[in-house]
Amino acid sequence: MAAAQTLLSVEHISMRFGGLTAVDDLSFDARRGDITALIGPNGAGKTTVFNCITGFYKPTSGRISMAPNGVIDPTALDALTRSGARGANGLHLLERMPDHEIARDARVARTFQNIRLFSGMTALENLIVAQHRPLMRASGFSLFGLIGAPSYRAAEQAAKDKARGWLERIGLAARADDPAGALPYGDQRRLEIARAMCADPVLLCLDEPAAGLNPRESAELNALLRSIRDDGTSLLLIEHDMSVVMEISDHVVVLDYGRKIADGTPAEIRNDPSVIAAYLGVPDEEVANVEQEIGA
Amino acid sequence: MAEASPVRAALADAARYGLIAAALAFPILALRAEPDFSNKLVLEPRWSWMLGAAVAAFLVRLAVALAPARAARKPAAAKAPSGFAKKATKAFAAFGLGLIVAWPFIVLLTLGPSGALKWIDNYGVQILIYVMLGWGLNIVVGLAGLLDLGYVAFYAVGAYAYALLATNYGVSFWICLPLAGILAAFWGILLGFPVLRLRGDYLAIVTLAFGEIIRIVLVNFSALTNGDAGIASIPRVTFFGLPFVAGPKGFAAFFDLKFSPIHRVVFLYYLILVLALITNLVTLRLRRLPIGRAWEALREDEIACRSLGLDTTKIKLTAFALGAMFGGFAGAFFAVRQGFVSPSSFNFVESATILAIVVLGGGGSQIGVAAAAIAIVGGSELLRELDFLKQVFGQGFDPTQYRMLLVGLAMVVMMNWRPRGFVASRTPTIFLGERKTIAADLVQEGRG
């Protein structure tokens, strides 16, 4: 296996809301071609980390860098940090960018814990909206589109074909023309993933994709996520469902009370005493013992 | 006993409504202030009126309560219109358009030139102006879901742009028309910037203030706008250079017609019809382009838009600018039609009327907005023709005084009957298999 490249690097980020520290000095990497899972008990700060990466929150301190097409070169990164710019030469500092630029330029797409589809638009329209940028350019910022230029029609057909491909892949081709809000819950989850993928991301961030799914749907989701990874998009996911995490992730980061308590392969995480303690809860003296063991 | 209780409940309910009606009617109907011989106001009691209102409310409520319960509505998520319904809709639209195009001639043939003037001007031109304004505002409110309470500001910008350019520099209407649109779009963008971060109520307040600021500037900047007195003798519309005058150089002489003021009104009718249809065509086209889909996506969920890389700032600004542009066109038309503009034509009531048209039409639907404009503007004009009520209530009764009361009542009834407007369902902009309309309960209204 070739040395895994770092695609996204989170360094020492903290996020404070008034007196509450939701994320405390967190660092981890997501490597290209990996499925990285971010796990932790409720309230551990996972979604806050997601919101910092995707620009919906600005972290109080720390650095988040992303190299959509290359590798993160430490010297270039330091030069970029000093320059005060948002990005240069294919390297982006996400904490400096507004959310839509992170999606557009750094090519990070995301889904939401509480599904955010365009409920009054059809499944197909949801996927077409995600392809806004190429379509907007093809429509000559609406001018060519307004006069019905053939070049725009071809671009729209291509967008439609791409959307159809994704609808077939998630098994929703028959419901393409139904409003997204009328689809069953599991279908909405998959449609949201397909919509994010239509935005052509390099890194796909999924906030609890398996929440509310039954075991069969959950297994289908695993297959879908693996196929997305195999097609070249890296994944970062928050998940509670351990069957999903342990089965598909290549790399797991465990958070508790906003701090990282473990980082490694699923097998390493499974046997980590601090993780077990965080999840199952242990008497206070045992926590102290465990903390001593891991040197916290 | 078990059978009697619903009736008793209905009676009690109706009695409560009757009491409320009586309480409301007391200050409005029961006491009338009349000047006596020494010109002092004396209260003249009219208890029978109050009693009548209470009894009417009681009876109506009783009838509603005792009417068989309406079948529970099924939440139909998506339904494909049947072949017949599709054909019927198309036929109706074609018939409606044909009627609108032929309207001036139908009226002329039936009523003759002198009787037709009112029906073409008040019921034709006036309604079409509001159809166009409704369609323009529909881009902002119906598609992009941004609540704009100051739309009349752009109407004013367009009207004053033509009025000032034409009276000061003699610029022709046909050059001013695009200029008025561009200027209004510019002001739309200016309004857009400060309100980008605002949503919902806050957005509504700022747009409301913007509309008032424009009006107050027009009132106070007397050096330019002549203040409250307004700008008079604005050049009238010409038939592409031929003025509508009686002389040998006029439109009538050129086409060998007998001069009649109706020519100008008919021309204005077709001018605003073309402008409104252009607004409609552009909006329908844009809806199927990425920018239109982005507007609707913005209305559905702004956060999801941003997560997909859509620049919501630009999307909002284009919506404001385009909506304002059509308002500007309509404003220029208003100025050339009236020949006179003053700030009093652009007060908040105008904004509220246009917004009411969009809301009543069902945000997002073009045909619904047109129907609502006809209902609100045409309906309130029709209420001027209530002279027959004098036969019912006696000669002292002035029906026009009750016009706005009846308009308000009609709107309350309408919004109860169809809370999401005439045409609440949404038609998808693109489809793989078949185009199915989307039920209103799934479509978001936008939160700002």
Side-chain angles (χ1 to χ4, degrees):
Chain A
M1 187 181 117
Q5 304 167 330
T6 302
L7 174 66
L8 171 87
S9 173
V10 174
E11 295 165 90
H12 304 290
I13 64 160
S14 297
M15 182 78 216
R16 277 185 276 279
F17 299 100
L20 176 81
T21 304
V23 177
D24 190 7
D25 195 30
L26 173 72
S27 303
F28 71 93
D29 287 345
R31 288 185 293 270
R32 188 181 299 278
D34 268 7
I35 296 181
T36 306
L38 199 57
I39 66 170
N42 282 329
K46 306 181 296 289
T47 299
T48 307
V49 172
F50 251 47
N51 284 338
C52 288
I53 293 172
T54 51
F56 285 86
Y57 294 158
K58 293 284 158 246
T60 317
S61 62
R63 183 166 72 176
I64 308 169
S65 48
M66 167 94 188
N69 305 312
V71 274
I72 296 176
D73 170 23
T75 42
L77 182 60
D78 286 340
L80 176 62
T81 309
R82 273 194 304 277
S83 76
R86 287 174 185 172
N89 306 325
L91 195 59
H92 299 276
L93 286 179
L94 304 191
E95 82 277 8
R96 293 182 183 172
M97 298 164 78
D99 41 19
H100 69 271
E101 279 182 18
I102 291 178
R104 196 181 67 192
D105 301 333
R107 296 175 64 193
V108 179
R110 71 170 291 179
T111 66
F112 296 86
Q113 196 172 355
N114 46 342
I115 304 172
R116 283 186 173 272
L117 285 167
F118 306 125
S119 68
M121 302 174 92
T122 64
L124 177 68
E125 282 180 305
N126 269 274
L127 302 191
I128 297 281
V129 169
Q131 304 175 55
H132 179 75
R133 212 158 110 87
L135 279 175
M136 196 70 186
R137 221 180 288 130
S139 78
F141 297 92
S142 303
L143 288 178
F144 301 153
L146 212 52
I147 55 170
S151 63
Y152 171 68
R153 266 188 249 142
E156 192 180 67
Q157 189 57 47
K160 212 165 147 180
D161 290 341
K162 184 175 178 181
R164 190 207 305 267
W166 272 105
L167 286 168
E168 278 162 6
R169 204 162 158 183
I170 60 172
L172 281 180
R175 306 209 59 179
D177 299 319
D178 286 340
L183 296 175
Y185 187 79
D187 291 353
Q188 292 196 13
R189 281 250 172 248
R190 291 204 306 282
L191 182 61
E192 206 191 14
I193 295 172
R195 185 181 68 179
M197 286 306 294
C198 278
D200 226 4
V202 169
L203 179 68
L204 176 64
C205 299
L206 304 169
D207 198 344
E208 297 202 23
L213 301 188
N214 63 37
R216 190 180 54 80
E217 287 173 324
S218 186
E220 283 171 8
L221 179 78
N222 286 355
L224 175 67
L225 297 186
R226 273 209 202 97
S227 75
I228 288 174
R229 177 195 56 189
D230 296 342
D231 289 350
T233 304
S234 314
L235 282 91
L236 178 64
L237 64 118
I238 292 177
E239 193 46 76
H240 274 300
D241 186 336
M242 283 303 151
S243 71
V244 175
V245 173
M246 293 304 160
E247 205 175 311
I248 67 168
S249 21
D250 303 298
H251 171 203
V252 180
V253 177
V254 190
L255 288 188
D256 194 19
Y257 294 110
R259 292 160 183 264
K260 183 164 87 174
I261 57 172
D263 187 343
T265 64
E268 289 164 9
I269 296 301
R270 206 192 304 260
N271 301 316
D272 191 310
S274 60
V275 176
I276 297 167
Y279 265 89
L280 300 179
V282 284
D284 286 348
E285 58 270 33
E286 273 187 52
V287 173
N289 291 342
V290 169
E291 279 181 346
Q292 233 164 21
E293 275 174 44
I294 61 170
Chain B
M1 191 64 206
E3 279 160 41
S5 64
V7 177
R8 188 178 291 173
L11 277 172
D13 192 37
R16 214 169 54 234
Y17 273 69
L19 273 178
I20 293 170
L24 281 174
F26 176 71
I28 303 175
L29 295 175
L31 298 172
R32 184 182 170 86
E34 285 278 9
D36 67 357
F37 297 112
S38 52
N39 221 9
K40 276 184 188 157
L41 284 177
V42 291
L43 286 177
E44 178 196 315
R46 295 190 298 189
W47 301 115
S48 59
W49 287 51
M50 186 174 121
L51 193 69
V55 169
F58 175 82
L59 289 177
V60 168
R61 182 63 198 173
L62 195 64
V64 169
L66 291 182
R70 271 189 288 177
R73 264 181 270 171
K74 271 186 280 179
K79 51 178 188 286
S82 65
F84 174 74
K86 246 183 209 164
K87 265 185 210 149
T89 318
K90 266 206 177 131
F92 179 75
F95 172 75
L97 192 63
L99 182 70
I100 289 166
V101 171
W103 174 252
F105 292 98
I106 295 172
V107 177
L108 271 174
L109 288 177
T110 47
L111 295 171
S114 51
L117 190 66
K118 180 180 87 182
W119 290 93
I120 300 175
D121 202 29
N122 291 7
Y123 291 89
V125 179
Q126 182 78 3
I127 291 176
L128 283 173
I129 288 181
Y130 281 94
V131 170
M132 179 166 177
L133 287 170
W135 278 341
L137 183 62
N138 196 19
I139 295 177
V140 184
V141 176
L143 293 181
L146 303 163
L147 185 56
D148 183 353
L149 288 180
Y151 190 64
V152 79
F154 309 119
Y155 189 40
V157 167
Y160 270 83
Y162 173 62
L164 290 171
L165 286 172
T167 50
N168 291 338
Y169 302 104
V171 186
S172 121
F173 173 72
W174 300 104
I175 296 171
C176 285
L177 185 66
L179 278 181
I182 291 167
L183 278 171
F186 168 73
W187 281 95
I189 293 172
L190 275 193
L191 165 68
F193 271 112
V195 303
L196 282 172
R197 290 165 182 282
L198 304 177
R199 318 196 52 170
D201 306 349
Y202 305 98
L203 175 73
I205 292 167
V206 175
T207 54
L208 171 66
F210 179 78
E212 284 300 289
I213 287 171
I214 293 274
R215 190 179 64 80
I216 290 167
V217 166
L218 291 177
V219 169
N220 289 303
F221 194 3
S222 308
L224 183 70
T225 64
N226 199 21
D228 267 325
I231 300 172
S233 61
I234 300 168
R236 287 312 187 80
V237 74
T238 59
F239 185 79
F240 307 102
L242 285 176
F244 290 94
V245 293
K249 283 185 179 163
F251 168 83
F254 188 86
F255 286 97
D256 256 350
L257 298 166
K258 194 170 164 292
F259 172 77
S260 158
I262 201 93
H263 294 154
R264 191 168 55 85
V265 177
V266 172
F267 179 66
L268 283 174
Y269 179 88
Y270 284 110
L271 178 59
I272 185 68
L273 181 61
V274 168
L275 285 175
L277 288 179
I278 289 174
T279 310
N280 184 32
L281 197 74
V282 169
T283 310
L284 286 179
R285 262 279 155 96
L286 285 175
R287 232 192 119 223
R288 292 179 191 177
L289 289 178
I291 183 68
R293 295 203 189 99
W295 288 337
E296 291 203 82
L298 180 73
R299 178 194 66 205
E300 296 285 322
D301 195 323
E302 183 175 344
I303 288 176
C305 277
R306 293 213 302 267
S307 82
L308 295 170
L310 274 68
D311 187 346
T312 50
T313 305
K314 278 187 198 149
I315 293 166
K316 284 181 187 175
L317 284 180
T318 50
F320 270 118
L322 270 162
M325 186 180 79
F326 291 121
F329 289 149
F333 175 83
F334 173 81
V336 83
R337 172 198 180 212
Q338 304 292 99
F340 168 73
V341 292
S342 82
S344 59
S345 307
F346 307 107
N347 51 23
F348 173 67
V349 175
E350 290 295 308
S351 286
T353 308
I354 303 164
L355 186 66
I357 286 170
V358 174
V359 173
L360 183 63
S365 152
Q366 297 292 93
I367 197 87
V369 169
I374 293 171
I376 291 186
V377 182
S380 66
E381 285 293 320
L382 267 181
L383 289 175
R384 289 185 202 274
E385 328 264 324
L386 290 177
D387 276 353
F388 69 90
L389 284 180
K390 283 190 179 169
Q391 258 108 58
V392 184
F393 293 102
Q395 282 304 313
F397 181 77
D398 183 5
T400 51
Q401 284 188 350
Y402 293 85
R403 197 166 70 95
M404 292 324 282
L405 191 68
L406 289 174
V407 171
L409 195 67
M411 285 186 68
V412 170
V413 171
M414 276 304 306
M415 291 325 283
N416 266 303
W417 174 54
R418 303 218 68 162
R420 292 291 297 265
F422 286 148
V423 185
S425 58
R426 176 180 174 271
T427 318
T429 58
I430 192 169
F431 57 97
L432 277 184
E434 56 177 342
R435 204 187 287 278
K436 310 174 195 173
T437 53
I438 296 173
D441 46 356
L442 291 170
V443 181
Q444 309 296 310
E445 288 172 274
R447 289 189 296 123

Coordinates of all heavy atoms in Angstrom, one line a residue, chain B residues 153-166 169 171 175-191 210 214 224 320-329 331-332:
Chain B
A153 N -41.1 50.6 -3.6 CA -40.0 51.5 -3.8 C -39.4 51.4 -5.2 O -39.1 52.4 -5.9 CB -38.9 51.2 -2.8
F154 N -39.4 50.2 -5.8 CA -38.8 50.0 -7.1 C -39.8 50.6 -8.2 O -39.4 51.1 -9.2 CB -38.5 48.6 -7.3 CG -37.7 48.0 -6.2 CD1 -38.1 47.0 -5.5 CD2 -36.4 48.6 -5.9 CE1 -37.3 46.5 -4.4 CE2 -35.7 48.1 -4.9 CZ -36.1 47.1 -4.1
Y155 N -41.1 50.4 -7.9 CA -42.1 51.0 -8.7 C -42.0 52.5 -8.8 O -42.0 53.1 -9.9 CB -43.5 50.6 -8.1 CG -44.7 50.8 -8.8 CD1 -44.9 50.6 -10.2 CD2 -45.9 51.3 -8.1 CE1 -46.1 50.8 -10.8 CE2 -47.1 51.4 -8.8 CZ -47.2 51.2 -10.1 OH -48.4 51.5 -10.8
A156 N -41.7 53.1 -7.6 CA -41.5 54.5 -7.6 C -40.2 54.9 -8.3 O -40.2 55.9 -9.1 CB -41.4 55.0 -6.1
V157 N -39.1 54.1 -8.2 CA -37.9 54.5 -8.9 C -38.1 54.5 -10.4 O -37.7 55.4 -11.1 CB -36.8 53.4 -8.5 CG1 -35.6 53.6 -9.4 CG2 -36.3 53.7 -7.0
G158 N -38.8 53.5 -10.9 CA -39.1 53.4 -12.3 C -39.9 54.6 -12.8 O -39.6 55.2 -13.8
A159 N -41.0 54.9 -12.0 CA -41.9 56.0 -12.4 C -41.1 57.3 -12.4 O -41.2 58.1 -13.3 CB -43.1 56.1 -11.4
Y160 N -40.4 57.6 -11.3 CA -39.6 58.9 -11.3 C -38.5 58.9 -12.3 O -38.1 60.0 -12.8 CB -39.1 59.1 -9.8 CG -40.1 59.9 -9.0 CD1 -41.2 59.2 -8.4 CD2 -40.1 61.3 -8.9 CE1 -42.1 59.9 -7.7 CE2 -41.0 62.0 -8.2 CZ -42.0 61.3 -7.6 OH -43.0 62.0 -6.9
A161 N -37.9 57.7 -12.6 CA -36.8 57.7 -13.6 C -37.4 58.2 -14.9 O -36.8 59.1 -15.5 CB -36.3 56.3 -13.7
Y162 N -38.6 57.7 -15.3 CA -39.1 58.2 -16.6 C -39.6 59.6 -16.4 O -39.3 60.4 -17.3 CB -40.3 57.3 -17.0 CG -41.0 57.9 -18.2 CD1 -40.3 58.0 -19.4 CD2 -42.3 58.3 -18.1 CE1 -40.9 58.6 -20.5 CE2 -42.9 58.9 -19.2 CZ -42.2 59.1 -20.4 OH -42.8 59.7 -21.5
A163 N -40.3 60.0 -15.3 CA -40.8 61.3 -15.2 C -39.7 62.3 -15.2 O -39.8 63.3 -16.0 CB -41.5 61.4 -13.9
L164 N -38.6 62.1 -14.5 CA -37.5 63.1 -14.5 C -36.7 63.1 -15.8 O -36.4 64.2 -16.3 CB -36.5 62.7 -13.3 CG -37.1 63.0 -12.0 CD1 -36.2 62.4 -10.9 CD2 -37.4 64.4 -11.7
L165 N -36.4 62.0 -16.4 CA -35.6 62.0 -17.6 C -36.5 62.6 -18.8 O -35.9 63.4 -19.6 CB -35.2 60.6 -18.0 CG -34.1 60.0 -17.2 CD1 -33.9 58.5 -17.5 CD2 -32.8 60.7 -17.4
A166 N -37.8 62.3 -18.8 CA -38.6 62.8 -19.9 C -38.8 64.3 -19.7 O -38.8 65.1 -20.7 CB -39.9 62.1 -19.9
Y169 N -34.9 66.2 -19.7 CA -34.0 66.0 -20.8 C -34.8 65.6 -22.1 O -34.1 65.4 -23.1 CB -32.9 65.0 -20.5 CG -32.2 65.3 -19.3 CD1 -32.4 64.7 -18.0 CD2 -31.2 66.3 -19.3 CE1 -31.7 65.1 -16.9 CE2 -30.5 66.7 -18.2 CZ -30.7 66.1 -17.0 OH -30.0 66.4 -15.9
V171 N -36.0 62.8 -22.9 CA -35.7 61.4 -23.3 C -37.0 60.7 -23.7 O -37.9 60.7 -22.9 CB -34.9 60.6 -22.3 CG1 -34.4 59.3 -22.8 CG2 -33.7 61.5 -21.8
I175 N -36.6 54.8 -24.7 CA -35.3 54.7 -24.1 C -35.3 54.6 -22.6 O -34.6 53.9 -21.9 CB -34.4 55.9 -24.6 CG1 -34.3 55.9 -26.1 CG2 -33.1 55.9 -23.9 CD1 -33.7 57.1 -26.7
C176 N -36.3 55.3 -22.0 CA -36.4 55.4 -20.6 C -36.9 54.0 -20.0 O -36.5 53.7 -18.9 CB -37.5 56.4 -20.1 SG -36.8 58.1 -20.3
L177 N -37.7 53.3 -20.8 CA -38.2 52.1 -20.2 C -37.1 51.1 -19.8 O -37.1 50.7 -18.6 CB -39.1 51.4 -21.3 CG -39.9 50.2 -20.8 CD1 -40.9 50.5 -19.7 CD2 -40.6 49.5 -22.0
P178 N -36.1 50.8 -20.6 CA -35.0 49.9 -20.1 C -34.2 50.6 -19.0 O -33.8 49.9 -18.1 CB -34.2 49.6 -21.3 CG -34.6 50.6 -22.4 CD -36.0 51.0 -22.1
L179 N -34.0 51.9 -19.2 CA -33.3 52.6 -18.1 C -33.9 52.5 -16.8 O -33.3 52.3 -15.7 CB -33.1 54.1 -18.5 CG -32.0 54.5 -19.5 CD1 -32.0 56.0 -19.8 CD2 -30.7 54.0 -19.0
A180 N -35.3 52.7 -16.8 CA -36.0 52.6 -15.5 C -35.8 51.2 -14.9 O -35.6 51.1 -13.7 CB -37.5 52.9 -15.8
G181 N -35.8 50.2 -15.7 CA -35.6 48.8 -15.2 C -34.2 48.7 -14.6 O -34.1 48.1 -13.5
I182 N -33.2 49.2 -15.3 CA -31.8 49.1 -14.8 C -31.7 49.8 -13.5 O -31.1 49.3 -12.6 CB -30.9 49.6 -15.9 CG1 -30.9 48.6 -17.1 CG2 -29.5 49.7 -15.4 CD1 -30.2 49.2 -18.3
L183 N -32.2 51.1 -13.5 CA -32.1 51.9 -12.2 C -32.8 51.1 -11.1 O -32.2 51.1 -10.0 CB -32.7 53.2 -12.4 CG -31.8 54.3 -13.1 CD1 -32.6 55.5 -13.5 CD2 -30.7 54.6 -12.2
A184 N -33.9 50.6 -11.3 CA -34.6 49.9 -10.2 C -33.8 48.7 -9.8 O -33.7 48.4 -8.6 CB -36.0 49.5 -10.7
A185 N -33.3 48.0 -10.8 CA -32.4 46.8 -10.4 C -31.3 47.2 -9.6 O -30.9 46.6 -8.6 CB -32.0 46.1 -11.7
F186 N -30.7 48.4 -9.9 CA -29.5 48.9 -9.1 C -30.0 49.2 -7.7 O -29.3 48.8 -6.7 CB -29.1 50.2 -9.8 CG -28.1 51.0 -9.0 CD1 -26.8 50.6 -8.8 CD2 -28.5 52.2 -8.4 CE1 -25.9 51.3 -8.0 CE2 -27.7 52.9 -7.6 CZ -26.3 52.5 -7.5
W187 N -31.2 49.8 -7.5 CA -31.7 50.0 -6.2 C -32.0 48.7 -5.5 O -31.9 48.6 -4.3 CB -32.9 51.0 -6.2 CG -32.4 52.4 -6.4 CD1 -32.4 53.1 -7.5 CD2 -31.9 53.2 -5.4 NE1 -31.9 54.3 -7.3 CE2 -31.6 54.5 -6.0 CE3 -31.7 53.1 -4.0 CZ2 -31.1 55.6 -5.3 CZ3 -31.2 54.2 -3.3 CH2 -30.9 55.4 -4.0
G188 N -32.4 47.7 -6.3 CA -32.7 46.4 -5.7 C -31.5 45.8 -5.1 O -31.5 45.3 -4.0
I189 N -30.3 46.0 -5.8 CA -29.1 45.4 -5.3 C -28.7 46.2 -4.0 O -28.2 45.7 -3.0 CB -28.0 45.5 -6.4 CG1 -28.4 44.5 -7.5 CG2 -26.6 45.2 -5.8 CD1 -27.5 44.6 -8.7
L190 N -28.9 47.6 -4.1 CA -28.5 48.4 -2.9 C -29.3 48.0 -1.7 O -28.8 47.9 -0.6 CB -28.8 49.9 -3.2 CG -27.7 50.6 -3.9 CD1 -28.1 52.1 -3.8 CD2 -26.4 50.4 -3.3
L191 N -30.6 47.7 -1.9 CA -31.4 47.2 -0.8 C -30.9 45.8 -0.4 O -30.9 45.5 0.8 CB -32.9 47.1 -1.2 CG -33.8 46.3 -0.2 CD1 -33.9 47.0 1.1 CD2 -35.1 46.1 -0.8
F210 N -37.2 50.5 3.9 CA -36.6 51.0 2.6 C -37.7 51.6 1.7 O -37.4 52.7 1.1 CB -36.0 49.8 1.9 CG -35.4 50.1 0.6 CD1 -34.1 50.7 0.5 CD2 -36.0 49.8 -0.6 CE1 -33.6 51.0 -0.7 CE2 -35.4 50.1 -1.8 CZ -34.2 50.7 -1.9
I214 N -37.6 55.6 0.5 CA -37.7 56.1 -0.9 C -38.8 57.1 -1.0 O -38.7 58.2 -1.6 CB -37.9 54.9 -1.9 CG1 -36.7 54.0 -1.9 CG2 -38.3 55.4 -3.2 CD1 -35.6 54.4 -2.9
L224 N -35.4 68.3 -6.7 CA -35.4 67.4 -7.8 C -36.8 66.9 -8.1 O -37.3 66.9 -9.3 CB -34.5 66.2 -7.5 CG -34.4 65.2 -8.6 CD1 -33.6 65.7 -9.8 CD2 -33.7 63.9 -8.1
F320 N -33.5 39.9 -5.8 CA -33.9 41.3 -5.5 C -33.8 42.2 -6.8 O -34.7 42.9 -7.1 CB -33.0 41.9 -4.4 CG -33.5 41.7 -3.0 CD1 -32.8 41.0 -2.1 CD2 -34.7 42.2 -2.7 CE1 -33.3 40.8 -0.8 CE2 -35.3 42.1 -1.4 CZ -34.6 41.3 -0.5
A321 N -32.6 42.0 -7.5 CA -32.4 42.8 -8.7 C -33.4 42.6 -9.8 O -34.0 43.5 -10.3 CB -31.0 42.6 -9.2
L322 N -33.7 41.3 -10.0 CA -34.7 41.0 -11.1 C -36.1 41.4 -10.7 O -36.8 42.0 -11.6 CB -34.6 39.5 -11.5 CG -33.6 39.2 -12.5 CD1 -33.2 37.8 -12.5 CD2 -34.1 39.6 -13.9
G323 N -36.5 41.1 -9.5 CA -37.8 41.5 -9.1 C -37.9 43.0 -9.2 O -38.9 43.6 -9.7
A324 N -36.9 43.8 -8.7 CA -36.9 45.2 -8.8 C -37.0 45.7 -10.2 O -37.7 46.7 -10.5 CB -35.7 45.8 -8.1
M325 N -36.3 45.1 -11.1 CA -36.2 45.5 -12.5 C -37.7 45.5 -13.1 O -38.1 46.5 -13.7 CB -35.3 44.6 -13.3 CG -35.1 45.0 -14.7 SD -34.1 43.9 -15.6 CE -35.2 42.6 -16.0
F326 N -38.4 44.4 -12.9 CA -39.8 44.4 -13.4 C -40.6 45.5 -12.7 O -41.5 46.1 -13.4 CB -40.3 43.0 -13.3 CG -39.7 42.0 -14.2 CD1 -39.0 40.9 -13.7 CD2 -39.6 42.2 -15.5 CE1 -38.4 40.0 -14.5 CE2 -39.0 41.3 -16.4 CZ -38.4 40.2 -15.9
G327 N -40.4 45.7 -11.4 CA -41.1 46.8 -10.8 C -40.8 48.1 -11.4 O -41.7 49.0 -11.6
G328 N -39.5 48.3 -11.8 CA -39.1 49.5 -12.5 C -39.8 49.7 -13.9 O -40.3 50.8 -14.2
F329 N -39.9 48.6 -14.6 CA -40.6 48.7 -15.9 C -42.0 49.2 -15.7 O -42.6 50.0 -16.3 CB -40.6 47.3 -16.6 CG -39.3 46.9 -17.1 CD1 -39.0 45.6 -17.2 CD2 -38.4 47.8 -17.6 CE1 -37.8 45.1 -17.7 CE2 -37.2 47.4 -18.1 CZ -36.9 46.1 -18.2
G331 N -43.2 50.8 -13.2 CA -43.2 52.2 -12.8 C -43.2 53.1 -13.9 O -43.9 54.1 -14.0
A332 N -42.3 52.9 -14.9 CA -42.1 53.7 -16.1 C -43.5 53.7 -16.8 O -43.9 54.8 -17.3 CB -41.0 53.3 -17.0

